[in-house]
Amino acid sequence: TMPPNLDLSKVKNKVKTAQQDCVTVQLTMDLYTRLPVAGPKKIPVTISKRVYVPKLPKVELADVDVTDLGLKNGEAVVRFRITNYNPFPLTIKQVNYRFRVGGDDMDIRGTETKDVTFTKRGTEIMPVHIRFQPKALPKVAFKTLFKAKKTPFNLNGAVV
């Protein structure tokens, strides 16, 4: 027996670019066997299956609320509006995030580990509690007020 060598890059690309709920995946192969009386035989096999492709949710920033601002520490609640396009509920168990303003002027990283379930084909608000050190806040506030177009901000992360 020899393990099959599969190139799944085309399947991965097809799933990423699919604009529908399902794609058809087809596997075609030839099996060879040696039968005692008949000798070597080729057995063609074709398997075709419809596979459901879950759609990524749409994530938008809904609101930012600074809940505590001291000299050494600050806390805020960032609320995301998440739209689930799938015909089934979606549960997020953990959010890892990184929020940067003005390059490295303010760099906030963290993890939120609260389970949030989103209804099928619905929109929900997901709060994420962040902690930050306000020492860079005056510089960031100045840049965002007076140089807003030149001040980059970046929010990225991953969900589980």
Side-chain angles (χ1 to χ4, degrees):
T1 58
M2 186 170 73
N5 184 8
L6 300 174
D7 179 13
L8 297 178
S9 62
K10 290 181 182 178
V11 174
K12 181 179 172 184
N13 289 336
K14 178 69 175 177
V15 167
K16 276 187 175 180
T17 59
Q19 295 298 316
Q20 65 246 22
D21 290 344
C22 295
V23 294
T24 301
V25 177
Q26 183 173 337
L27 176 66
T28 304
M29 66 181 141
D30 293 325
L31 300 175
Y32 294 91
T33 186
R34 189 175 309 274
L35 300 173
V37 177
K41 289 290 179 186
K42 175 180 166 183
I43 304 169
V45 177
T46 300
I47 301 169
S48 183
K49 191 82 170 172
R50 297 278 293 164
V51 177
Y52 182 78
V53 179
K55 293 183 179 174
L56 292 175
K58 179 180 178 184
V59 179
E60 300 172 290
L61 182 63
D63 183 35
V64 177
D65 185 22
V66 177
T67 56
D68 184 26
L69 186 58
L71 293 175
K72 293 186 176 185
N73 295 311
E75 291 184 20
V77 177
V78 179
R79 291 177 183 85
F80 294 99
R81 181 179 303 108
I82 300 178
T83 303
N84 179 15
Y85 296 108
N86 296 297
F88 53 83
L90 180 67
T91 299
I92 293 177
K93 296 182 178 290
Q94 178 177 319
V95 176
N96 299 315
Y97 61 85
R98 182 177 187 190
F99 181 62
R100 298 173 67 198
V101 181
D104 289 329
D105 290 339
M106 183 176 264
D107 190 354
I108 303 168
R109 300 171 192 230
T111 301
E112 180 78 22
T113 57
K114 179 182 175 189
D115 287 9
V116 179
T117 300
F118 301 95
T119 60
K120 61 182 180 180
R121 291 193 173 101
T123 300
E124 302 284 335
I125 299 294
M126 178 180 183
V128 175
H129 300 272
I130 64 169
R131 291 175 185 25
F132 60 93
Q133 294 178 342
K135 65 182 177 185
L137 205 53
K139 185 176 183 181
V140 169
F142 177 81
K143 281 185 167 181
T144 55
L145 288 173
F146 299 108
K147 298 180 181 180
K149 291 184 179 179
K150 294 181 181 179
T151 304
F153 73 92
N154 182 295
L155 175 65
N156 58 33
V159 296
V160 178

